[in-house]
């Protein structure tokens, strides 16, 4: 077997006619140290290059290395590939790659009936069964009945492949994920070349490791090709997406790029103040590699210093940004209130995770909406935007910059763990289509007052230090209208509170009306916000294919809401609001529009499944039918 | 001094706002010194920025006709750091107090100093919380009876200079609110120093902690209780210049001059010693057994954080100036061709 790996041909030597699939979901699951995120990431990149539409769901523990082989240490990466436009990473995997017993038992329940299991038998020994708290071997005790199970000794094969390699045995063992990836590539008729190139680049300075990984990857592919292990092979054709140039992008990467684009389009140097926190750290990592765009990244001593430094930079005329997750945003609350009252532009990114407190650092949730609305002392409304998907993080960054600068206000951008780490193909924008975000600093001392307002936007002038004749003081104390001098006058405080709120409300003039997908009025509207966009779209496609009449709308603007939202809500008998919290948007909508809405909530640390939304839609429409 | 900059006077730095500190507060004297020093610097007024936190001292920016930012409690160093990184052309001064810098803002204070961001910090130390009306502060002496410590404070106080030196501060000084010429001289030194310049100013709160520093400020005691640090000179003090400080092992001790000992036996002060140990020893000197040293405790050249950040960005932008097109269209891309359409007609 090992002799065959030296010169593998990607064209299969076996006469297996690949079966065409339109859509398939694969989950790679193993120990935290098994490299499952990397394996899934490579399968994703290759599938993107092949031209599939795709959607991913990484799911990993908060511990860097939980005890090996335990249930707590299982790390998984799910990817769905399709020959058509898809919106979710899929409810149930068709294929599960399980590197050890813990990974198998933890993920088996999700697998589709008759789904494929590829199990690494080397790790199904007494020791690993015990670590997974198993009395018996699930491969032998009937647990996997109803599934198509392929038992492969991945570790043994890998070691044999690497006989004579200069790598030590531990390093050899680490290559076994490439054997699994090679098998997956064979099974789904993917090319090996993109991963080979990637390995050579990644381990450029360690050619032994690069060579070993490439060898094992090819061995995995050849093993499937030569042995009769799989009876079937699949093909998923290119998706007919909108024409154009694409790349695969995660939410955090798109956000970082969007911020750089905003900096370029506004002419303002980008300053990020940040403190490392899951799942927002990649924004810091990515931006710190963009120094050649004039980006300053400041890894501050804490979350508070991170936002304060960003405000300081904004005061000096930079595009100030801070990025964090819920616990960090909680710490930033006081400074955010200051940015609001001194009326400086700022972008605050919250990549939400499971809460409260430390909560579920690596799992997704949308439970910081109340925090965004109300998480500051005093009357302190700020604009809130929520990205709908990984690629939307790019656009939302540009939009946040536009609002912040035009209205002189801190803007909260909500993302979450699911879209931050998940990825999808991104139709790359034309540079000339990016918005013009240029802004003017005040320079004319004639008639200058720091709190004099623009009639249209109610924004105050941005007068940065260093400008002769505009010397003035700002601060967190209430200030007199126009002059900005400290004022404790009761009527002034009322007026200033009102005008700050009016300014945020006025942003509605830059918020597009809410578009309804489907009938503009009817029995049921499903209204989502943030990362639920994909799964709601997918669910409604299913519901409509079954003849149900249901409409959909999605909020990217949470404050202010689109101007026509009240009208849209009033046009439907029932409104269903799915959200990954305990009903926060539903609560706000009901308070603001006095429209009863039905909540569909979930806080399990993972996104909705399509079927969960479909079944609620069916129930509501059935109930509706019963009434009439 | 640039010839194009108009000569500014002290009054050019006075804002039109009424100063609202209590009559008799030490802050007035510090305000006056800063206004005088700013006029002396000959720098354009618009390049001067005062950033403060919360507390009596932090009202300072409102009374200066420069750019000013009255921020939130304890965080002024962080705002100042962001501002200085974004705008290296500005001269940024942080005004803070013992509660603001040593208690709620302790973390930002130490990190500012370790990074050596090129800003100047004036810490008004009155050893009490004034604006909240008289609770003990992190620099209040042990046993102090206040509104919140009726049986006496059981907190051990911070030594701000020791904390600054321990944080790696490159410029550390101490002065006293009513010692006008000394204070102004120190402020000029702070402005000239590249990196974070930290000055602790003993400041009398005549309402809640009156006479906290009178042991060294009252004329009769002054000479015996104050040690003026002068670079390159032996440490001598006393009304008759009859006492000195000597190093004995790892201890400093007071020696009587005149008999068998003379100035040559005293420690010669060297403010630019790289090793901060001497400065730390001096920072521990306190009554009743020692005079209180004032002046420059440490002044060493170190790279600045803002300078290094800028250097990296300059290098990156020179080597490979970022193009938005490369950023967005870089990486692994693929093209979806438009579907083949039948020719019309």
């Amino acid at each position: 077997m090992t002799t065959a790996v030296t010169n593998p041909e990607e064209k299969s030597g076996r006469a297996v006619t690949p079966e065409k699939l339109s859509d398939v979901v694969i989950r790679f699951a193993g120990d935290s140290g098994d490299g499952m995120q990397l394996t899934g990431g490579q399968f994703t990149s290759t599938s993107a290059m092949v031209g599939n539409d795709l959607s991913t769901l990484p799911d990993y523990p908060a511990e860097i290395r939980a005890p090996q082989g335990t249930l707590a240490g299982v790390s998984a990466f799910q990817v769905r590939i399709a020959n058509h436009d898809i919106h979710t990473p899929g409810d149930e995997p068709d294929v599960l790659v399980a590197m050890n017993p813990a990974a198998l038992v933890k993920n088996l329940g999700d697998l589709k009936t008759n789904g494929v299991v590829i199990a690494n038998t080397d790790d199904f020994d007494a020791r690993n069964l015990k670590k997974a708290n198993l009395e018996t071997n699930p491969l032998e005790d009937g647990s996997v009945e109803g599934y198509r199970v392929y038992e492969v000794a991945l570790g043994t094969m890998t070691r044999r492949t690497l006989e004579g390699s200069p790598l030590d045995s531990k390093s050899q063992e680490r290559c076994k994920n490439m054997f699994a990836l090679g098998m997956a590539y064979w099974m789904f008729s993917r090319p090996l070349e993109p991963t080979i190139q990637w390995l050579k680049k990644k381990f450029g300075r360690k050619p032994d490791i690069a060579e070993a990984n490439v060898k094992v990857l090819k061995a995995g592919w050849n093993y499937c090709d030569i042995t009769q292990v799989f009876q079937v092979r699949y093909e998923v054709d290119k998706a007919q997406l909108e024409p154009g140039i694409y790349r695969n992008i995660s939410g955090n990467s798109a956000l970082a790029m969007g911020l750089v684009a905003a900096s370029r389009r506004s002419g303002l140097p980008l300053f990020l103040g940040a403190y490392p926190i899951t799942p927002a750290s990649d924004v810091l990592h990515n931006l710190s590699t963009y120094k050649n765009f004039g980006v300053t990244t400041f890894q501050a001593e804490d979350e508070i210093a991170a936002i304060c430094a960003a405000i300081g930079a904004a005061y000096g005329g930079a595009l100030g940004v801070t990025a964090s997750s819920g616990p960090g945003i909680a710490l930033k609350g006081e400074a955010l209130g200051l940015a609001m009252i001194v009326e400086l532009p700022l972008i605050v990114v919250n990549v939400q995770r499971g809460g409260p407190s430390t909560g579920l650092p690596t799992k997704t949730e949308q439970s910081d909406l109340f925090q965004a609305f109300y998480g500051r002392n005093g009357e302190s409304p700020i604009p809130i935007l929520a990205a709908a998907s990984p690629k939307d993080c790019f656009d939302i960054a540009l939009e946040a910059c536009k609002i912040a600068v035009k209205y002189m206000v801190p803007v909260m951008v909500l993302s979450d763990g699911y879209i931050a780490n998940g990825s999808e193909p991104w139709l790359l924008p034309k540079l000339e289509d990016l918005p013009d975000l240029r802004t003017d600093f005040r320079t004319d001392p004639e008639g200058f007052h720091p709190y004099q307002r623009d009639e249209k936007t109610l924004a105050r002038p941005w007068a940065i230090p260093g400008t002769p004749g505009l010397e003035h003081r700002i601060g967190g104390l209430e200030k007199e209208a126009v002059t900005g001098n400290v004022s404790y006058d009761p009527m002034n405080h009322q007026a200033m509170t009102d005008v700050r709120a009016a300014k945020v409300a006025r942003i509605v003039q830059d918020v597009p009306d809410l578009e309804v997908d489907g009938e503009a009025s009817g029995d049921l509207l499903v209204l989502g916000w943030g990362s639920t966009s994909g799964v709601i779209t997918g669910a409604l496609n299913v519901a409509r294919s079954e003849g149900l009449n249901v409409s959909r709308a999605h909020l990217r603007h949470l404050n202010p809401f689109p101007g026509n939202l009240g009208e849209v809500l009033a046009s439907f008998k029932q409104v269903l609001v799915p959200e990954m919290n305990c009903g926060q948007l539903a609560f706000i909508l009901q308070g603001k529009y006095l429209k009863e809405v039905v909540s569909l909530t979930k806080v399990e640390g993972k996104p909705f499944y399509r079927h969960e939304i479909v079944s609620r839609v069916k129930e509501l429409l059935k109930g509706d039918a019963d009434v009439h | 001094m640039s010839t194009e900059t108009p000569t500014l006077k002290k009054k050019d730095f006075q804002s039109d706002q009424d100063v609202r500190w209590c009559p008799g507060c030490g802050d007035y004297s510090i305000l006056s010194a800063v206004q005088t020093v700013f006029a002396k610097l000959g720098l354009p007024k618009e390049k001067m920025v005062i950033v403060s936190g919360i507390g009596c001292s932090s009202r300072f920016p409102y009374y200066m006709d420069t750019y000013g930012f009255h921020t939130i409690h304890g965080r002024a160093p962080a705002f100042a750091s962001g501002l200085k990184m974004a705008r290296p052309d500005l001269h940024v001064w942080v005004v803070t107090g013992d509660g603001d810098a040593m208690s709620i803002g302790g973390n930002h204070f130490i990190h500012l100093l370790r990074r050596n961001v090129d800003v100047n910090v004036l810490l008004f130390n009155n050893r009490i919380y004034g604006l909240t009306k008289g609770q003990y502060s992190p620099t209040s002496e042990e046993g102090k009876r206040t509104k919140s410590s009726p049986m006496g404070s059981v907190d051990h106080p911070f030594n701000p200079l020791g904390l600054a030196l321990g944080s790696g501060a490159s410029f550390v000084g101490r002065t006293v609110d009513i010692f006008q010429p000394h204070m102004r001289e120190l402020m000029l030194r702070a402005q000239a120093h590249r990196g974070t310049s930290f000055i602790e100013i003993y400041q009398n709160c005549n309402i809640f902690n009156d006479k906290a520093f009178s042991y060294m400020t009252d004329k009769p005691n002054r000479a015996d209780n104050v040690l003026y640090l002068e670079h390159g000179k032996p440490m001598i003090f006393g009304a008759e210049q009859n006492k000195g400080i000597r190093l004995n092992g790892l201890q400093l001790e007071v020696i009587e001059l005149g008999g068998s000992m003379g100035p040559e036996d005293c420690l010669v002060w060297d403010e630019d010693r790289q090793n901060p140990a001497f400065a730390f020893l001096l920072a521990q000197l306190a009554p009743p057994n020692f005079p209180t040293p004032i002046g420059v405790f440490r002044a060493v050249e170190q790279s600045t954080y803002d300078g290094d950040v800028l250097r990296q960005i300059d290098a990156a932008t020179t080597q490979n100036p970022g193009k938005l097109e490369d950023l967005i269209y870089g990486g692994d891309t693929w093209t979806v061709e438009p579907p083949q359409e039948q020719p019309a007609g």
Side-chain angles (χ1 to χ4, degrees), chain A residues 355-379:
Chain A
S357 187
T358 308
L360 303 171
T362 60
K363 310 293 178 191
T364 197
E365 211 162 278
Q366 295 180 295
S367 47
D368 297 342
L369 184 63
F370 280 168
Q371 184 191 42
F373 266 91
Y374 311 119
R376 294 163 297 286
N377 62 306
E379 293 293 342

Side-chain angles (χ1 to χ4, degrees), chain A residues 466-482:
Chain A
T467 317
L470 301 190
E471 293 84 0
H472 66 282
R473 276 62 59 191
I474 60 172
L477 288 168
E478 183 59 282
K479 46 204 93 283
E480 188 179 63
V482 185

Side-chain angles (χ1 to χ4, degrees), chain A residues 223-491:
Chain A
Y223 169 74
C224 297
D225 203 47
I226 290 160
T227 65
Q228 300 291 318
V229 61
F230 295 129
Q231 299 89 340
V232 285
R233 195 172 186 208
Y234 304 105
E235 243 172 32
V236 179
D237 287 340
K238 271 187 184 192
Q240 258 318 315
L241 301 174
E242 197 182 325
I245 301 174
Y246 284 79
R247 71 187 283 184
N248 185 41
I249 197 90
S250 72
N252 276 345
S253 302
L255 186 71
M257 286 184 196
L259 290 169
V260 173
S263 162
R264 279 294 155 101
R265 299 296 288 178
S266 62
L268 303 170
L270 179 60
F271 180 98
L272 174 81
Y275 185 79
I277 185 169
T278 304
S281 299
D282 279 342
V283 178
L284 168 63
H285 302 160
N286 287 4
L287 285 175
S288 66
T289 66
Y290 298 153
K291 288 189 172 62
N292 58 329
F293 286 87
V295 174
T296 305
T297 52
F298 175 54
Q299 183 175 313
E301 58 271 24
D302 59 30
E303 294 281 2
I304 301 171
I307 185 172
C308 293
I311 297 170
Y315 175 56
L319 176 59
V321 180
T322 189
S324 185
S325 188
I329 301 294
L331 287 167
K332 295 178 197 291
E334 186 193 11
L336 184 49
L338 177 74
M340 191 271 171
I341 193 173
V342 296
E343 302 182 49
L344 280 171
L346 182 75
I347 299 174
V348 180
V349 177
N350 180 354
V351 184
Q352 299 167 95
R353 66 190 214 186
S357 187
T358 308
L360 303 171
T362 60
K363 310 293 178 191
T364 197
E365 211 162 278
Q366 295 180 295
S367 47
D368 297 342
L369 184 63
F370 280 168
Q371 184 191 42
F373 266 91
Y374 311 119
R376 294 163 297 286
N377 62 306
E379 293 293 342
S380 180
I382 57 168
I384 303 164
L385 306 177
S389 68
K391 64 189 177 199
D392 190 37
C393 291
F394 180 85
D395 297 322
I396 216 106
L398 285 156
E399 193 164 357
C401 172
K402 177 183 165 179
I403 293 172
V405 167
K406 183 169 174 182
Y407 293 89
M408 292 292 285
V409 69
V411 178
M412 176 77 80
V413 171
L414 298 177
S415 171
D416 64 35
Y418 169 45
I419 53 181
N421 292 319
S423 61
E424 64 178 345
W426 175 32
L427 174 57
L428 301 179
K430 292 195 175 71
L431 292 187
E432 59 269 27
D433 292 345
L434 298 179
D436 182 356
L437 303 173
R438 274 174 298 184
T439 185
D440 291 321
F441 296 124
R442 170 83 185 212
T443 52
D444 185 3
E446 190 61 37
F448 167 75
H449 292 291
Y451 284 81
Q452 199 162 43
R453 294 179 188 280
D454 180 89
E455 276 179 26
K456 193 162 180 291
T457 61
L458 297 179
R460 76 177 189 91
W462 197 357
I464 63 172
T467 317
L470 301 190
E471 293 84 0
H472 66 282
R473 276 62 59 191
I474 60 172
L477 288 168
E478 183 59 282
K479 46 204 93 283
E480 188 179 63
V482 185
T483 67
N485 291 328
V486 174
S487 166
Y488 304 117
D489 178 72
M491 296 318 288

